[in-house]
């Protein structure tokens, strides 16, 4: 009997060892341990043995059963590991292949600059105001203290539209300043607005475009003065250009709608034909500003003996070109895809002072 | 406005350097555009004395010179044949850049002899081609160390300022000097030609003013027996230095006063004037050959200085050739007049003449300068050309200029933040020519006759602060209105950046295009009406306000395609124009895709862009901008520039939020685009505002405990039935249990009858309280089939 068990053990373990796949191994398992398996068959014969042998044989068969089961498990784990390895080897891909196409849109640097302006002035308590591109003479000129026949009306190279039935001749606004007027007419002081928008002048050459963008600022209250104008614009220039010690110079100038007026220059250096914004040997004019002319306040129904204020205006293209090193104004409107990809901004780059204005 | 430092110093006694002067001018509002210093390039070159010149021991043609320079004695090896003991020449020390050779001097040893610096020739300074020897100044005998530029008289830097239109007084050098003196950079001198010339006889030419306000005053003076010819060298040099061409003494004199004190004058050849002078309006169509040699046609708004037969000059703008002065002129009539700024500007514009006279008259010439101008002109003419002056002919009266304004010194600090003492304010204003009158009612300040730009207290404050200095204005932080910043944009203003970023994140490139386009293009996109045409466009290509952004994007696409960009997408968020009213412009998010939907890729099949790309873009832009796109309806209507069968609208009820689709082939042909192109146009202003109530809180999330059940159906419907109609019908079958209906397949072809299509729906049931039984699921399915059949005629596909 013992010999028979030993023989059986040797056979079964050899079969387990010989099984080359999990399927074959399972066949071995069934033939050994299944309901009609060889061990099961043998154990059914135990009842025919005498009681004293029956006990010993039973123990021997149970031990055999455990041993085979364990061998099966071990073999199974080994086979599974080998099969997985073979499968994985078979599943190898070329990871150097390019990924599936991703959307790769870009924002126009001019519009990104617009968002930067809103982010900076918004921190200082300015809110955005808007107005129409097609204006009337009164809002664009008269209320800004530019009277009929004033040479400035001609110098601005205004685009006119056809006269309407009432004899009104609409204009394309030559600056964003009419929105100052619209705001002062519709709101009571204190006022603190910026006005980014499209503007139009009949000029077309390397440095002028018939359409361009301006941002206007207006602050009206009972006490604000040129010191606040200076403080605000210096902070703006330093934040926008990201140069903390940027020199900013205010000098006298003339605009019909401000009195006193100032033009504002920032420091720069010009070396080897390049231009660097920052402390340097030269100045670069970037905007015009001044105390709102009392006549402008009065045109808007604001009591100029009680309220005063200041305003500024600058070209968005100009500051965008300076900041981002864009050499040619005209390329802004060319819609050249190569240019838009090169100078454009990623859609998730939302300008904010806390998160960083620009990458 | 150009002038030289030397000319300025005729009016300004000053020790200030050129740099101090130009810096001050810029800060005063007289912005310096540039300084041309002819001496700057010659600065290192100074006079030197050759103590001894002896033969070089090792070279026949060279001499070794001991040279006395401003900085001591040096040894120079020189090859010039004229180098000799005792001569004076021009020395350049080591380190000097020699313009003629393009070299910078370094210490050298020439054939064993040390040589430091150089004695230069005229060619080396680019003064002439002369290189036969070094410059020899022995005869002039200037002092050692004198800058060579001084020896040449090239020491007068030219300054150009950009004059703002309010400062007509600074269109004359005297005005500029007055500003500098007020700002503490010297004292104002009386200036040349300041005394009066007594008249010896009555002028044979009289003046009659017949043009009212256009010319309220005219001072004339007859000078007989003059001899015209080239003006003296100093005057020619002065005019040339500021870019004016000397013509003759008489003409140069008028130009001199135009520049010197912003006092344009005209000199008629009196023998060519027929009778008296009449200042009148021109006759319409009247022709005059002006001094620039061109013939101009006048209209009846223009002021003409005429004689009794013909027009002789455009008043305040330009004289006429027929009565102009020549070498033969013997008797002259000097005009010192005042012409109305507005009319002068208008006339100048209409004629297209930019003259120095117009420049000054349209900015306002000093109304008190007429007599002094005629006196000064007479004095200078008699000095340079001889002759005898008549008594003055004075016609008309000075236009009124006297006015005064209250000035409260405290207003300076209120407006500028700078506390300027009353005494300083007074000193400044008086130095600028203003009159200060302090009485019991306060201070009244009267501007001088040459400052027509000053109209009130704010202007006086500006005068005080610009002279005091803008650098003194304090840098004051703007006080915060709230402790934390509030949103800078309203909900509707935020639509612009949100839609832009959404579209860019879908792979579109943002463009910014002009608001105008060719009228013919506008007409194809629903525009082109006359009311939106520019009457003075830059070009015919830019003559109409755009009714849509699409044509601009199509134009850009065509250009990009020509550069090899066969597939791409662009968008613009900006205005389009309906009418000229203040509400007649719409903020649009408009985009265009063309060519293939993506690049060639190993894992993805290629396809052309189609209407669904545009629809997806439009939905994304709208959703980002805050539109409730889940509630939107899609209909198949779109404007004429879209393909009628491949386009649609996204609507909320009757409000069209967007249109989208394939562009019409006829439109694409106009832009020479073959292949696919699709577009969309979102009306951002039409998006309803979110409800203000309820804050930002979202409804409570309700999670169903039971798993949803999905069942698929395929219906045969007529091809005209929309997928949307079918899906909506299915959803109506049980509004409680059916939570989602999705169309996942559209099929025509084998097995589907002609004129029909198969639409496959996936319908999701959500059990609420208990798991659905098979019977309940069956019943729901039957309901779906019944409702769909009733609504659309669709039959369940077997």
């Amino acid at each position: 009997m013992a010999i028979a068990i030993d023989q059986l053990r040797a056979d079964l373990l050899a079969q387990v060892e010989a099984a080359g796949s999990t399927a074959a191994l399972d066949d071995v398992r069934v033939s050994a341990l299944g309901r009609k398996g060889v061990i099961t068959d043998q154990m059914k014969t135990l009842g025919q043995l005498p009681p004293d042998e029956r006990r010993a044989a039973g123990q021997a068969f149970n031990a055999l059963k455990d041993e085979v089961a364990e061998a099966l498990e071990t073999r199974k784990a080994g086979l599974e590991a080998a099969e997985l390895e073979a499968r994985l080897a078979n599943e190898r891909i070329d990871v150097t292949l390019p990924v599936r196409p991703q959307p790769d849109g870009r924002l126009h640097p001019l519009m990104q600059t617009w968002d930067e302006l809103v982010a900076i002035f918004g921190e200082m308590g300015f809110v955005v105001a808007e107005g129409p591109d097609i204006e009337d003479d009164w809002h664009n000129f008269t209320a800004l203290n530019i009277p009929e026949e004033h040479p400035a009306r001609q110098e601005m190279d205004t685009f006119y539209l056809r006269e309407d039935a009432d004899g009104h001749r609409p204009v394309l606004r030559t600056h964003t300043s009419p929105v100052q007027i619209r705001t002062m007419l519709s709101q009571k002081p204190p006022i603190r607005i910026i006005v980014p928008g499209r503007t139009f002048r009949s000029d077309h050459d390397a440095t002028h475009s018939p359409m361009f963008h301006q941002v206007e600022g207006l602050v009206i209250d009972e006490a604000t003065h040129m010191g606040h104008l200076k403080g605000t614009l210096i902070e703006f220039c330093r934040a926008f250009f990201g140069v903390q010690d940027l020199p900013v110079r205010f000098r006298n100038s003339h605009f019909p709608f401000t009195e006193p007026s100032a033009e504002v220059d920032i420091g720069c250096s010009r070396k080897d034909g390049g231009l660097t914004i920052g402390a340097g040997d030269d100045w670069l004019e970037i905007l015009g500003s001044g105390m709102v002319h009392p006549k402008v306040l009065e045109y808007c129904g604001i009591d100029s003996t009680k309220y005063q204020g200041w305003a500024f205006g600058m070209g968005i293209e100009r500051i965008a070109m300076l900041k981002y090193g864009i050499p040619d104004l005209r390329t802004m409107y060319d819609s050249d895809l190569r240019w838009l990809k090169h100078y454009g901004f990623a859609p998730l780059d939302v300008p904010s002072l806390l998160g960083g204005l620009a990458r | 406005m150009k002038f030289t430092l030397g000319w300025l110093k005729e009016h300004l006694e000053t020790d200030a350097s050129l740099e101090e002067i130009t810096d001050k001018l810029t800060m005063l509002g007289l912005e310096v555009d540039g300084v041309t210093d002819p001496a700057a390039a010659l600065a290192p070159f100074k006079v030197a004395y050759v103590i001894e010149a002896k033969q070089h021991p090792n070279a026949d043609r060279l001499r070794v010179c001991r040279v006395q320079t401003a900085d001591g004695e040096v040894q120079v090896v020189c090859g010039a044949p004229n180098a000799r003991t005792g001569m004076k020449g021009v020395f350049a020390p080591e380190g000097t850049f020699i313009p003629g050779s393009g070299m910078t001097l370094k210490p050298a040893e020439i054939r064993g002899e040390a040589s430091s610096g150089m004695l230069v020739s005229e060619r080396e300074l680019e003064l002439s081609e002369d290189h036969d020897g070094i410059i020899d100044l022995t005869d002039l005998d200037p002092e050692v160390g004198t800058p060579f530029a001084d020896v040449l008289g090239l020491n007068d830097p030219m300054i150009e300022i950009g004059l703002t239109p309010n400062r007509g007084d600074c269109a004359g050098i005297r005005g500029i000097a007055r500003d500098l003196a007020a700002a503490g950079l010297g004292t104002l001198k009386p200036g040349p030609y300041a005394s009066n010339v007594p008249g010896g006889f009555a002028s044979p030419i009289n003046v009659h003013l017949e043009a009212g306000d256009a010319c309220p005053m005219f001072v004339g003076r007859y000078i007989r027996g003059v001899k015209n010819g080239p003006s003296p060298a100093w005057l020619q040099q002065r005019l040339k230095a500021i870019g004016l061409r000397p013509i003759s003494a008489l003409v140069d004199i008028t130009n001199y006063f135009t520049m010197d004190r912003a006092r344009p004058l005209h000199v008629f050849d009196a023998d060519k004037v027929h009778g008296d002078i009449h200042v009148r309006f021109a006759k319409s169509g009247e022709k005059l050959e002006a001094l620039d040699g061109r013939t101009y046609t006048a209209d009846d708004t223009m002021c003409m200085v005429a004689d009794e037969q013909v027009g002789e000059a455009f008043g305040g703008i330009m004289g006429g050739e027929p009565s102009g002065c020549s070498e033969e002129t013997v008797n002259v009539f000097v005009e010192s007049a005042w012409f109305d700024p507005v009319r002068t500007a208008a006339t100048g514009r209409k004629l297209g003449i930019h003259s120095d006279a117009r420049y000054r008259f349209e900015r306002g010439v000093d109304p008190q300068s007429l007599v002094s101008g005629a006196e000064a002109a007479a004095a200078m003419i008699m000095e340079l050309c001889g002759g005898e002056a008549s008594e003055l002919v004075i016609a008309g009266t000075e236009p009124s200029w006297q006015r005064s304004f209250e000035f409260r010194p405290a207003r300076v600090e209120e407006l500028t933040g700078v506390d300027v003492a009353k005494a300083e304010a007074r000193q400044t204003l008086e130095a600028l020519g203003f009159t200060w009158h302090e009485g019991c009612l306060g201070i009244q300040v009267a501007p001088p006759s040459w400052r027509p730009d000053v109209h009130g207290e704010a202007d006086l404050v500006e005068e005080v602060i610009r002279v005091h200095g803008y650098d003194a204005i304090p840098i004051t932080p703007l006080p915060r209105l709230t402790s934390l910043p509030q949103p800078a944009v309203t909900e509707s203003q935020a639509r612009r950046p949100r839609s832009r970023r959404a579209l860019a994140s879908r792979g579109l490139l943002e463009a910014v295009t002009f608001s105008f386009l060719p009228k013919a293009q506008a007409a194809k996109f629903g525009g082109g009406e006359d009311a939106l045409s520019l009457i003075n466009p830059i070009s015919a290509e830019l003559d109409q306000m755009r009714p849509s952004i699409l044509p601009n994007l199509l134009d850009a696409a065509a250009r990009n395609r020509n550069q090899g960009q066969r597939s791409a997408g662009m968008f613009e968020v900006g205005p389009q124009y309906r009418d000229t009213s203040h509400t007649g412009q719409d903020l649009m998010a408009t985009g265009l895709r063309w060519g293939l939907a993506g690049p060639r890729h190993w894992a993805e099949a290629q396809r052309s862009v189609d209407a669904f790309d545009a629809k997806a873009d439009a939905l994304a832009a709208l959703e980002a901008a805050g539109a409730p796109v889940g509630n939107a309806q899609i209909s198949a209507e779109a404007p004429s520039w879209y393909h009628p069968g491949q386009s649609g609208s996204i609507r909320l009820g009757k409000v069209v939020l967007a249109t989208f689709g394939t562009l019409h082939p006829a439109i694409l042909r106009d832009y020479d685009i073959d292949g696919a192109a699709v577009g969309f146009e979102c009306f951002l202003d039409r998006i309803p505002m979110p409800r203000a109530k309820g804050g930002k809180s979202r409804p409570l999330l309700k999670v169903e405990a039971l798993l949803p059940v999905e069942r698929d159906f395929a219906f045969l419907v007529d091809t005209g039935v929309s997928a949307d109609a079918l899906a909506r019908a299915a959803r109506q079958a049980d509004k409680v249990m059916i939570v989602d209906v999705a169309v996942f397949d559209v099929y025509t072809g084998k097995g589907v009858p002609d004129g029909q299509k198969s639409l496959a729906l996936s319908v999701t049931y959500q059990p609420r309280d208990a798991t659905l039984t098979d019977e309940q699921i069956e019943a729901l399915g039957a309901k779906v089939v019944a409702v769909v059949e009733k609504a659309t005629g669709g039959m369940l596909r077997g």
Side-chain angles (χ1 to χ4, degrees):
Chain A
M1 189 73 213
I3 294 163
I5 286 182
D6 286 347
Q7 185 60 50
L8 187 56
R9 173 187 294 119
D11 280 358
L12 288 174
L13 291 180
Q15 283 177 36
V16 168
E17 204 51 42
S21 68
T22 49
L25 188 68
D26 204 48
D27 290 346
V28 175
R29 182 186 62 78
V30 171
S31 71
L33 304 175
R35 271 195 297 153
K36 294 179 177 169
V38 55
I39 296 180
T40 318
D41 280 353
Q42 291 289 328
M43 286 176 86
K44 284 180 190 158
T45 65
L46 286 179
Q48 298 159 7
L49 290 180
D52 53 333
E53 287 179 30
R54 193 186 301 160
R55 182 180 166 84
Q59 284 174 348
F61 273 109
N62 273 331
L64 175 63
K65 196 173 159 187
D66 289 348
E67 194 177 344
V68 170
E70 192 185 328
L72 279 166
E73 272 312 302
T74 308
R75 181 64 185 154
K76 187 178 174 198
L79 280 173
E80 278 177 352
E83 277 173 17
L84 181 62
E85 199 172 316
R87 195 185 97 212
L88 293 184
N90 217 20
E91 285 173 0
R92 177 178 296 278
I93 58 166
D94 177 2
V95 295
T96 66
L97 281 169
V99 299
R100 288 178 186 79
Q102 302 297 312
D104 190 23
R106 284 287 181 271
L107 295 162
H108 198 287
L110 195 55
M111 295 293 113
Q112 181 79 3
T113 304
W114 173 315
D115 288 350
E116 289 180 41
L117 291 165
V118 174
I120 299 172
F121 285 110
E123 289 277 348
M124 293 196 263
F126 288 78
V127 297
V128 173
E130 292 172 312
D133 295 352
I134 299 175
E135 266 295 357
D136 52 55
D137 268 321
W138 191 84
H139 286 89
N140 195 70
F141 295 121
T142 310
L144 287 158
N145 196 33
I146 310 172
E148 199 92 34
E149 289 307 319
H150 189 287
R153 284 206 183 182
Q154 317 305 326
E155 280 162 24
M156 284 192 170
D157 299 318
T158 314
F159 282 117
Y160 288 97
L161 281 84
R162 299 216 177 172
E163 212 166 86
D164 64 19
D166 303 330
H168 297 299
R169 190 175 57 166
V171 302
L172 297 189
R173 65 179 182 191
T174 56
H175 42 197
T176 42
S177 309
V179 184
Q180 281 188 24
I181 303 302
R182 292 184 177 279
T183 305
M184 285 190 276
L185 286 168
S186 63
Q187 292 177 25
K188 287 196 161 31
I191 290 171
R192 201 179 281 196
I193 55 162
I194 57 162
V195 187
R198 289 184 175 221
T199 49
F200 306 86
R201 290 185 202 177
S202 166
D203 234 344
H204 207 179
D205 57 35
T207 56
H208 296 89
S209 167
M211 185 197 88
F212 57 102
H213 294 74
Q214 273 191 348
V215 64
E216 186 92 3
L218 175 73
V219 173
I220 304 281
D221 61 31
E222 291 182 21
T224 196
H225 57 64
M226 280 186 102
H228 298 111
L229 165 69
K230 203 169 177 178
T232 301
L233 290 178
I234 288 176
E235 267 191 68
F236 163 73
C237 290
R238 291 179 177 171
F240 178 75
F241 289 106
V243 180
Q244 278 318 302
D245 59 350
L246 180 65
V248 183
R249 177 174 81 170
F250 288 70
R251 56 185 164 74
N252 177 253
S253 190
H254 169 75
F255 307 104
F257 27 87
T258 50
E259 194 78 34
S261 305
E263 274 185 344
V264 181
D265 303 333
I266 55 172
C268 68
S269 64
R270 296 171 211 265
K271 290 213 173 70
D272 311 320
L275 176 73
T276 313
I277 305 292
D281 51 2
D282 209 349
W283 294 100
L284 199 64
E285 179 193 325
I286 61 158
L287 60 89
S289 64
M291 299 301 293
V292 178
H293 199 292
K295 281 195 188 160
V296 174
L297 294 175
E298 280 150 24
Y299 272 118
C300 299
I302 291 180
D303 180 356
S304 67
T305 63
K306 185 173 177 200
Y307 292 105
Q308 60 188 40
W310 42 267
F312 62 86
M314 69 186 125
I316 302 181
E317 278 84 347
R318 178 162 171 78
I319 57 170
M321 288 167 71
L322 288 172
K323 181 168 180 177
Y324 293 115
I326 299 168
D328 186 347
L329 170 70
R330 290 170 293 190
T331 56
M332 290 268 190
Y333 321 103
D334 275 351
S335 310
D336 184 313
L337 296 170
R338 298 164 299 184
W339 189 95
L340 294 172
K341 281 178 189 158
H342 180 81
Y343 288 107
F345 287 81
L348 293 178
D349 282 347
V350 181
S352 93
L353 283 179
L354 296 178
L357 207 54
R359 278 204 277 183
Chain B
M1 173 69 194
K2 294 175 181 170
F3 59 97
T4 67
L5 185 62
W7 199 340
L8 176 70
K9 286 183 173 177
E10 296 230 321
H11 294 278
L12 185 70
E13 187 76 53
T14 184
D15 299 326
S17 69
L18 175 64
E19 198 181 347
E20 286 171 317
I21 288 173
T22 53
D23 285 354
K24 184 62 82 178
L25 286 171
T26 292
M27 294 305 285
L28 280 168
L30 304 171
E31 187 183 3
V32 174
D33 282 341
V35 176
T36 316
D37 185 0
L42 295 176
F45 300 92
K46 293 176 180 166
V47 174
Y49 175 68
V50 181
I51 303 167
E52 183 190 27
K54 61 181 184 190
Q55 185 61 43
H56 191 293
N58 304 322
D60 290 350
R61 296 189 168 196
L62 297 179
R63 281 167 193 79
V64 180
C65 304
R66 284 169 57 210
V67 178
Q68 181 67 45
T69 73
D71 304 313
E73 189 182 319
V74 293
Q75 175 168 298
V76 179
V77 176
C78 180
N82 62 340
R84 61 185 191 280
T85 301
M87 81 173 293
K88 279 193 171 165
V90 177
F91 176 74
E94 282 168 28
T96 304
F97 177 78
I98 305 296
S101 67
M103 311 251 280
T104 299
L105 296 180
K106 290 180 206 149
E109 201 179 273
I110 301 171
R111 300 256 183 129
E113 288 289 335
S115 182
S116 169
M118 183 183 205
L119 290 161
V120 297
S121 69
E122 292 202 352
R123 193 169 82 187
E124 280 155 347
L125 291 187
E126 295 185 322
L127 296 173
S128 75
E129 283 303 298
D130 186 3
H131 196 52
D132 293 341
I134 53 175
I135 297 170
D136 189 347
L137 301 173
T138 315
D139 292 345
L140 291 168
D141 198 27
E143 265 188 63
V144 169
T146 307
F148 180 50
D150 288 1
V151 179
L152 285 177
L154 282 177
N155 51 359
D156 199 5
M158 192 274 280
I159 302 164
E160 181 165 13
I161 57 175
L163 207 55
T164 52
N166 58 324
R167 292 306 300 275
D169 62 317
C170 288
I173 293 161
R174 188 161 183 79
I176 296 166
R178 187 185 296 109
D179 259 34
L180 286 169
L185 248 62
T187 47
L188 192 64
K189 297 201 278 191
Y193 305 105
S195 56
N196 289 353
V197 178
F201 59 97
S203 168
I205 296 178
N206 267 311
V207 176
H208 309 275
L209 300 183
E210 294 152 15
D213 291 344
C215 177
M217 186 176 181
F218 188 118
V219 175
R221 193 156 212 187
Y222 193 95
I223 302 176
R224 66 188 176 200
V226 300
K227 183 169 173 6
N228 196 15
S231 59
W234 69 266
L235 180 53
Q236 294 200 20
Q237 174 68 27
R238 197 156 267 187
L239 296 177
K240 277 195 278 190
I242 59 167
L244 289 177
R245 190 166 57 89
I247 293 169
S248 70
L250 288 169
V251 176
D252 294 353
I253 287 166
T254 63
N255 286 335
Y256 174 83
F257 285 110
T258 299
M259 296 299 162
D260 190 69
R261 46 196 86 164
R263 176 59 266 181
L265 300 167
H266 186 60
V267 179
F268 296 94
D269 184 329
D271 297 328
K272 296 177 188 162
V273 174
H274 311 92
D276 283 351
I277 294 283
H278 294 259
V279 183
R280 57 167 169 81
F281 287 114
K283 293 167 204 130
S284 215
E286 188 173 358
K287 285 189 167 36
L288 172 62
E289 186 190 356
L291 282 170
D292 61 6
R294 293 164 61 185
T295 298
Y296 295 90
T297 305
D299 68 33
D300 58 8
T301 67
M302 298 179 180
C303 180
M304 183 74 91
V305 180
D307 61 20
E308 287 175 357
Q309 293 180 7
V310 291
E312 298 289 7
F314 288 111
I317 294 176
M318 192 172 274
E321 189 63 41
S323 58
C325 293
S326 69
E327 298 275 321
E328 288 76 43
T329 298
V330 180
N331 301 311
V332 296
F333 188 73
V334 178
E335 165 201 307
S336 176
W338 197 90
F339 297 100
D340 176 62
V342 170
R343 190 177 301 274
T344 307
T347 302
R349 266 199 314 279
K350 279 190 253 182
L351 295 175
I353 299 180
H354 294 274
S355 67
D356 287 326
R358 172 189 163 190
Y359 183 84
R360 285 158 184 79
F361 278 113
E362 69 186 17
R363 282 165 173 76
V365 163
D366 180 359
Q368 278 208 305
S369 69
L370 278 68
V371 168
S372 62
E375 295 282 7
M380 195 167 178
I381 288 170
M382 287 161 70
E383 178 186 310
L384 302 185
C385 308
E388 188 190 351
S390 78
E391 290 152 8
L392 293 176
V393 180
I394 300 179
T397 51
E398 255 172 47
S400 136
W401 56 269
Q402 292 88 347
R403 63 203 183 279
S404 67
F405 309 101
E406 185 187 13
F407 178 68
R408 294 162 292 170
R411 281 301 282 164
V412 178
E413 187 174 9
E414 286 168 16
L415 283 173
T416 69
V418 185
D419 179 14
V420 177
K422 186 170 95 173
E424 184 191 330
R426 175 175 188 164
Q427 189 187 354
T428 296
L429 289 167
E430 288 182 341
L432 291 169
F434 291 74
T435 311
W436 179 285
H437 180 79
E438 208 165 336
C440 51
L441 292 174
I443 300 163
Q444 289 285 317
V445 173
S449 57
W450 57 82
R451 290 300 302 271
D453 58 308
V454 173
H455 291 290
E457 193 176 35
D459 303 67
L460 300 174
V461 168
E462 177 169 65
E463 294 303 302
V464 171
I465 193 65
R466 78 182 174 91
V467 169
H468 182 83
Y470 274 24
D471 283 344
I473 296 171
I475 298 169
T476 318
L478 192 61
R480 280 195 174 277
L481 299 173
T482 51
S483 58
L484 285 177
Q486 301 294 302
V489 290
T490 61
E491 194 60 32
S492 63
Q493 288 167 341
R495 290 168 183 157
R496 184 194 285 266
R498 286 175 185 158
S499 58
R500 286 173 45 234
R501 288 180 192 276
L503 290 170
S505 71
R506 293 184 49 77
L508 298 172
L509 293 164
E510 185 178 24
V512 175
T513 68
F514 286 161
S515 287
F516 12 70
L517 42 53
K519 190 170 181 136
Q521 282 188 27
K524 296 188 175 177
F525 287 82
E529 52 278 76
D530 285 347
L532 284 166
S533 300
L534 296 182
I535 58 173
N536 57 338
I538 282 278
S539 74
E541 299 294 293
L542 301 172
D543 64 347
Q544 184 75 22
M545 301 308 288
R546 63 187 189 190
S548 163
I549 305 175
L550 271 178
N552 281 355
L553 295 180
L554 282 162
D555 204 42
R559 283 199 307 275
N560 279 298
R561 279 169 47 88
N562 288 340
Q563 286 157 354
Q565 307 275 355
R566 307 302 287 179
S567 301
M570 283 192 302
F571 75 97
E572 177 172 354
V573 175
Q576 70 185 34
Y577 305 89
R578 254 179 295 115
D579 58 52
T580 61
S581 77
H582 298 143
T583 51
Q585 97 187 37
D586 296 312
L587 181 64
M588 304 300 294
T590 299
L592 178 73
R593 290 180 187 265
W594 69 92
L596 297 167
R600 278 159 59 163
H601 191 267
W602 56 271
E604 291 190 356
Q606 287 222 281
R607 65 170 181 86
S608 293
V609 293
D610 61 30
F612 296 100
D613 293 311
K615 181 180 174 184
D617 289 334
L619 287 168
L622 288 172
E623 182 163 33
V629 292
N631 301 338
Q633 302 94 47
I634 310 293
S635 65
E637 300 108 42
S640 61
W641 48 92
Y642 290 100
H643 184 308
Q646 298 181 4
S647 59
S649 304
I650 302 172
R651 291 181 297 107
L652 278 178
K654 284 183 179 165
V655 178
V656 173
L657 294 180
T659 56
F660 65 88
T662 306
L663 289 162
H664 198 288
I667 291 283
L668 295 181
R669 200 166 54 235
D670 288 345
Y671 293 89
D672 209 14
I673 295 174
D674 48 20
V678 299
F680 64 89
E681 297 164 273
C682 303
F683 292 83
L684 297 183
D685 296 328
R686 294 184 186 169
I687 297 173
M689 293 302 285
R691 261 190 291 270
K693 276 194 289 186
K696 304 286 184 197
S697 171
R698 303 189 179 192
L700 203 61
L701 173 65
K702 196 176 166 219
V703 181
E704 294 292 343
L706 299 169
L707 285 181
V709 178
E710 258 182 54
R711 286 290 179 274
D712 292 349
F713 300 83
F715 291 98
L716 281 175
V717 291
D718 290 344
T719 44
V721 174
S722 74
D724 186 48
L726 196 75
R728 260 186 290 134
R731 193 153 194 166
Q732 296 297 316
D734 189 318
K735 285 181 186 170
V736 174
M737 299 299 288
I738 297 177
V739 292
D740 192 32
V741 176
V743 178
F744 67 90
D745 193 34
V746 183
Y747 175 74
T748 52
K750 195 162 175 258
V752 174
D754 280 353
Q756 289 201 306
K757 62 185 175 186
S758 164
L759 284 172
L761 306 180
S762 168
V763 179
T764 307
Y765 311 132
Q766 176 61 58
R768 303 290 172 177
D769 305 319
T771 310
L772 292 175
T773 62
D774 287 348
E775 291 73 30
Q776 285 172 314
I777 292 173
E778 285 282 300
L780 273 168
K783 233 165 127 187
V784 167
V785 172
V787 172
V788 166
E789 183 179 350
K790 184 154 183 253
T792 68
M795 300 296 288
L796 193 65
R797 211 173 151 201

